[in-house]
Every structure is written in structure tokens, then in C-alpha cells.
Amino acid sequence: MPAALVPLPQFLQDWPDDERRRSLLEAPRLKRLGVFARLHELDEDAALAELARRARLPVAAEPVADKQALPLLPARLVHDYQIVPIEAPAGESDALHLATAWPPDNDMADWIATFTSRPLRWHLAPPDRIRQLVIENYGVGSGSLDEANEGMAALLQEAPLAGLEADADAAVVRFVSDVISQAVEDGATDIHFEPQEGQLRIRYRVDGLLVPVPVPDNLLRFQDAIISRLKIMARLNISERRLPQDGRINFKGGDSTLDIRVSTIPTIYAESVSLRLLNQKREAFTMERLGMGEQEQAEINRVLTYPHGIVLVTGPTGSGKSTSLNAFLRKINSTDLRIVTVEDPIEYEVPGVNQMQVRPEIGLSFASALRHVLRQDPDVIMVGEIRDRETADIAIRASLTGHLVFSTLHTNDAPGAITRLIDMGIEPFLVASAIELIIAQRLVRRLCPHCARLAPVNPLKLRDTLAVLGLDPAEAERTSELLQPVGCNLCRGTGYRGRIGLFEILKPSDSLHDLIVKRESTRTLDKCAREHGMRTLQQSGWAKIRAGHTTLDEVLRVITVI
């Protein structure tokens, strides 16, 4: 046994309570420190220090992977035990330095000795950092596919690791589950499996941007099996590779229950598969969590008390429209209101609300579903999206006959929603009479609160940028420094963590009503709305920048400047 290796009972021998000891040993290795912290009523940093003291091991708070030592250990071993070779301190290059989130035991040392004769030096490190290093350097799910390596398989047949699944089919099943579970951990909304020349690329969409996923080196040889596995899970025809197909997967992993929408298309190398992840159990957003200020919330809350009218949320795909509508429904949800929704897909479950999924393949479109909903004695109706004239007409007329209607449109700004409805064929006087509120919104990445730092700004550059956004250039003279992204382990080095909304709220005035009836242009409507106090998306973005929530680059990225 290496000198620094301490058997588990030695640093737990002061715990006579077998139940507490069992709760530690039964937890996954990466979660044991959290259990240890709760049992001792410590935060994670203090728990790590206390654990290191008991196990007589040094702490590596910011370990860096040793690129040369990575090939010494098979990925399966690294994943199962959550260990990673790290750079050695100066003068200790002969030993193999390993970081782990939980003190090692004899089995770990024996397994490692099978692959290297170098003396071992153990270090304790934060579990999140260990997990990050394993994924970055070995790839997501590499432990699953590594068992197909012939040399590893031969060794494991003599003394198998716990939970080993020897055949390649089981390895692929586990790999797909690992990829989906990792996407949930990273807060991804989509997963893309994209066959390229000489590789199978996997990307997550996190905070609205695509992020390449580190994958195992041997992934390409499993490409066909992985695509087939996804199609089997979605109940698609695996023999049909020439036509696009759509399906659904119900996935349960840990505390997550996912409704996954699957889409395949044929490409020149193989089928490309896209997964949209809908976590039905995720925590719903309130208006405050969306990033709305007190004045914006008050303006919206007033309209939510109206007995009838239509509230529209506009913006491009992925701008959080459905999330906002869900927040509104939860705000007004009560036992004395009958709320019915028509959605595609149902992204959030709202207790007490009657939610309907449209199914165009059997004739249940938004328009036909909406007609049936009107016979259900609803007080509030939510229509997931107004896509055509028929749906728009029914929604508008429902709002004029005693129903409060929520819906979404794809337009760049709030005034554009008015002209879009008129272009669909809705009479201007009906639009002017029905609309009570229009909210245009965008999502920008939120600065990571752990690593964002104040930095001086270039006043000339800021002045030009503000002018491009249609804002007052004089703001540049009053701004000497702004928060900027830096990057840390918690935000995966991006400098951003999560997203926050920008909002443009339009409450039609009498002057705007007259312009709508006259079929005036979007530009004219926009000018009138601004004169009557509408705060634009650009102004909302600048307010979020000044408050330290996001950056000028982010606002410029999501807002179209005309």
C-alpha cells in the first residue's frame, strides 16, 4: 500500500453510528463529500479540509491534469473511481499524482497498480473539479465505451470491476445515458449528434449557445450503434435512413424526468440526430427570476387581473417566450379560475391547469384545439403559438368574448406583433380592441457571479456602441468601468452562468389605437410607443449591463440593430 493511502475505517473510526457510516459508503464517490459535509454541518470547502486532515492527505484546490500521465489509466477506471492524474509539485515527477474527491481504498490502489508501477501520491480535490477534469480529458461517457477496448476487457474478465457490462451493445446503451445525463447536469436544452468526416461530433446547447462536448477517442467506431440506439429509444424505424423522422423519448435519470423530442435527418455521412430536452420536473421561473424589474412586474401584474383581452409575448425561437407565459400562469393560478392551455410541446407542468398537447398528425392543430377549448368554459386560455390566420382569428375573438388569452408570436419587437397580426388578415380594429399587452423579449447570458471583475471601458468605443443601439451616447461619459467575464471552474471557463431576460413592454395607448386602425407601419407604431413611455429592448439591455448582470457584447449579440 502507498504511504499516503489510508484505509477508510481509520478516519471514520470515531463514528460509532453505523447508519452514518453506511450513508457515506452507499453514496456515489463524487457525492460522498456532500454527505460528509451535511453530517458535520460544514460547507464543502471546510468539509474538504476536515476530510483531508482525517485522511492525512494534501488538498489540491485547483488541480491541473497531467497530459503525459493521462494514457496510463483506462477511461473506465478513471470514470468508475473518479480519479485523474494531475501535475506534480516541483521535484516530485517520479510519482504518479492522483486527485480524487474521496480518500482512496486498497481496491483502487490494486487496480491502478495493474496499469502502472509508478509510486502513487494522492490528493483530495473538490468533486466538481474532478468531474470537470475527467470529462475534459477523457470525454463524456468514455468510461462506458472503454470496456470495448480489447486489452482492458481481457484484464477485467479475470477480475471484473463492479457493474461491468462486457458487450458492446450494453456499452452503447450506457454511453447514450451518460451523454443525456451530462447534458442535464450542464443545463443543456438540446443535444446534437452530428456525423462529420472522420468523427461523430456531439454538441450541447447551453445558455443559448452551442458547446462542443469532449468525446472518447474511439467514438467513431460506435457511431452507427449510437444512432441506432437513439432511434430505438424514440421508437423510430432504424432501417429507414433516407428520410427524416421524428419521435419522443421518456428518459428518467437521477432526479430528472425528461420528455425528449427526437429529430433525425439524413446527411452525407450518416443520420444527424437532434434531441430537445424538456425537463418536466425542473423548477419553474417566476417573473423575478426571469429578470423583470419591479416596475415591469407591476405593469404585467395589472394586466393579469383583467377579465379579458390578449397578452402576447414575442421574440425569436429560444428567447424564453414559453417560460414567461408559464410564469404568468403560475402567478394567476387559483382555485376560482379554469385555465386551459394548448401547447406544442408542453414544457412545464403546472398543477391545477388543464394542459393539452397538439397533435397535427391526427388533425389536432392549434386552431382545432382552440375551438374545443372554448366549449370547456375556460376563464384563461394559453395558446402556445399563433402560427396562422385561423388560430389568430379564434384567439382574438376569444379575447373579445370574455376570456383572458396568452399567446406568442415570432417578431423582432413589440410593435411588430401588431403589424404581423394585421398581415395575417386580422382586421385592425379587432387587433386594437383585443390587445392589452405585448412583451418582446430576449435572453442574454448572465455574468458568472464568482469570477466577473470590474474593468475600465474605452469611452469612445462605448459611445459608438451606444449610438448604434439607439441609446444616449452621453451615458459613456458617466461610465468608467463595467463588469467583464473572466472564466472559472464554476462557469466552465466561459465567464457566464445562466441567463437573464431583456424586456420591451408595450401597453397600447389611445394614440396607438388610432394608428393601428389606420394600418400605420411598424416604425410609426414604434415611435408612438416610445413617446408614450415604452422602454425598448436596447434600454432594458443597458440597464442590465449597468446593474452588472450581463455585458455589452451579449446585448449586441441578441438584439438586431436596424
Side-chain angles (χ1 to χ4, degrees):
M1 185 192 308
L5 189 63
V6 180
L8 185 66
Q10 185 170 331
F11 68 87
L12 293 180
Q13 60 186 356
D14 60 330
W15 284 12
D17 186 351
D18 289 338
E19 188 65 31
R20 299 174 76 189
R21 188 180 293 114
R22 190 181 305 114
S23 67
L24 267 175
L25 299 180
E26 290 179 352
R29 296 191 65 85
L30 277 183
K31 295 185 178 180
R32 288 181 186 175
L33 182 64
V35 177
F36 183 85
R38 288 194 298 273
L39 291 173
H40 286 81
E41 298 181 350
L42 299 170
D43 61 38
E44 188 168 284
D45 291 341
L48 185 65
E50 173 63 16
L51 186 62
R53 183 189 67 79
R54 293 188 181 208
R56 301 198 298 278
L57 294 176
V59 173
E62 292 290 338
V64 177
D66 184 348
K67 300 295 183 181
Q68 294 183 336
L70 291 174
L72 292 176
L73 303 180
R76 183 64 191 271
L77 194 71
V78 169
H79 271 265
D80 280 3
Y81 287 131
Q82 285 296 306
I83 55 177
V84 65
I86 61 172
E87 292 183 353
E92 299 186 39
S93 56
D94 292 339
L96 178 62
H97 289 257
L98 296 169
T100 178
W102 187 254
D105 54 33
N106 293 331
D107 286 343
M108 289 172 62
D110 291 343
W111 266 107
I112 294 168
T114 305
F115 299 97
T116 178
S117 60
R118 290 171 61 177
L120 306 181
R121 295 291 181 268
W122 292 95
H123 304 258
L124 288 183
D128 288 344
R129 181 58 177 163
I130 294 293
R131 171 178 159 273
Q132 182 183 23
L133 287 175
V134 170
I135 290 172
E136 286 178 356
N137 293 283
Y138 291 91
V140 174
S142 56
S144 305
L145 300 184
D146 192 58
E147 64 197 43
N149 178 284
E150 294 179 3
M152 181 69 174
L155 284 168
L156 293 177
Q157 283 174 0
E158 299 176 8
L161 267 170
L164 177 67
E165 299 157 336
D167 61 273
D169 288 342
V172 169
V173 169
R174 179 173 168 178
F175 173 79
V176 170
S177 294
D178 286 347
V179 170
I180 296 174
S181 298
Q182 186 62 49
V184 175
E185 285 274 338
D186 290 349
T189 56
D190 301 83
I191 308 173
H192 300 287
F193 295 81
E194 302 168 310
Q196 307 286 306
E197 183 178 10
Q199 66 168 322
L200 174 61
R201 181 172 65 178
I202 300 177
R203 293 191 290 176
Y204 295 156
R205 188 173 293 279
V206 181
D207 293 339
L209 296 180
L210 285 174
V211 179
V213 177
V215 295
D217 294 335
N218 63 343
L219 182 63
L220 186 61
R221 51 186 284 215
F222 296 95
Q223 173 177 291
D224 292 343
I226 290 169
I227 293 172
S228 294
R229 171 60 184 167
L230 290 166
K231 293 173 71 174
I232 289 170
M233 292 173 71
R235 294 184 173 87
L236 302 179
N237 182 356
I238 62 171
S239 63
E240 178 55 77
R241 302 179 180 180
R242 303 163 301 171
L243 297 173
Q245 298 185 66
D246 296 312
R248 298 173 64 175
I249 298 173
N250 292 317
F251 180 86
K252 292 185 179 180
D255 298 330
S256 300
T257 301
L258 300 181
D259 177 18
I260 302 175
R261 302 304 169 93
V262 182
S263 173
T264 71
I265 58 171
T267 69
I268 57 175
Y269 296 108
E271 289 174 285
S272 178
V273 185
S274 292
L275 278 59
R276 166 62 60 89
L277 310 183
L278 304 173
N279 190 347
Q280 297 180 342
K281 302 299 181 184
R282 66 179 168 178
E283 183 182 358
F285 280 71
T286 61
M287 285 189 276
E288 186 174 0
R289 280 192 64 198
L290 286 170
M292 291 183 180
E294 291 184 4
Q295 184 177 347
E296 291 168 329
Q297 291 184 52
E299 193 169 358
I300 292 171
N301 285 334
R302 270 198 306 273
V303 175
L304 295 183
T305 63
Y306 289 4
H308 54 78
I310 188 165
V311 176
L312 293 174
V313 181
T314 79
T317 300
S319 59
K321 300 186 296 295
S322 297
T323 304
S324 292
L325 289 182
N326 179 267
F328 302 161
L329 289 180
R330 289 178 181 270
K331 181 70 177 179
I332 65 173
N333 191 13
S334 64
T335 56
D336 59 345
L337 284 179
R338 177 165 170 77
I339 304 174
V340 184
T341 73
V342 183
E343 304 174 65
D344 183 29
I346 297 174
E347 297 191 31
Y348 299 87
E349 290 183 9
V350 186
V353 172
N354 303 278
Q355 297 175 264
M356 183 192 305
Q357 168 73 52
V358 303
R359 300 190 183 278
E361 66 275 11
I362 59 172
L364 187 62
S365 63
F366 275 112
S368 61
L370 192 50
R371 283 197 198 88
H372 291 289
V373 166
L374 290 172
R375 300 173 193 146
Q376 290 281 314
D377 185 35
D379 298 297
V380 179
I381 303 169
M382 195 268 273
V383 185
E385 184 183 343
I386 293 178
R387 296 178 178 173
D388 50 47
R389 175 180 176 174
E390 188 177 13
T391 306
D393 187 61
I394 299 171
I396 291 288
R397 293 184 184 279
S399 70
L400 293 171
T401 55
H403 304 90
L404 184 60
V405 179
F406 300 144
S407 193
T408 71
L409 272 176
H410 288 282
T411 63
N412 285 330
D413 54 20
I418 296 171
T419 51
R420 175 64 57 84
L421 289 173
I422 294 173
D423 289 343
M424 283 182 175
I426 307 300
E427 290 295 333
F429 74 90
L430 291 177
V431 174
S433 302
I435 290 180
E436 295 294 347
L437 199 69
I438 304 173
I439 305 165
Q441 67 179 62
R442 299 290 189 277
L443 291 178
V444 293
R445 291 184 294 171
R446 188 192 294 262
L447 278 167
C448 175
H450 298 278
C451 64
R453 296 290 182 270
L454 281 171
V457 298
N458 182 327
L460 293 178
K461 182 179 178 181
L462 179 59
R463 186 181 184 89
D464 292 342
T465 305
L466 292 174
V468 169
L469 286 171
L471 300 173
D472 183 5
E475 286 285 340
E477 311 302 327
R478 299 188 286 269
T479 307
S480 59
E481 55 184 12
L482 293 171
L483 281 175
Q484 297 296 329
V486 176
C488 64
N489 294 333
L490 293 175
C491 62
R492 304 181 304 280
T494 64
Y496 298 93
R497 195 177 184 191
R499 289 190 287 179
I500 191 171
L502 311 181
F503 302 95
E504 177 178 285
I505 301 177
L506 171 58
K507 180 76 171 71
S509 62
D510 291 339
S511 300
L512 193 68
H513 184 285
D514 295 338
L515 294 177
I516 295 171
V517 173
K518 293 177 181 178
R519 297 179 181 263
E520 292 288 353
S521 67
T522 301
R523 191 177 297 275
T524 303
L525 299 180
D526 180 65
K527 181 181 178 182
C528 177
R530 293 188 192 205
E531 290 173 352
H532 285 80
M534 181 186 77
R535 188 170 76 161
T536 65
L537 283 167
Q538 290 88 339
Q539 291 169 327
S540 177
W542 178 242
K544 295 292 192 300
I545 294 168
R546 292 297 305 272
H549 297 309
T550 190
T551 63
L552 198 56
D553 289 341
E554 272 297 289
V555 173
L556 285 169
R557 181 179 66 84
V558 303
I559 294 179
T560 302
V561 180
I562 301 176

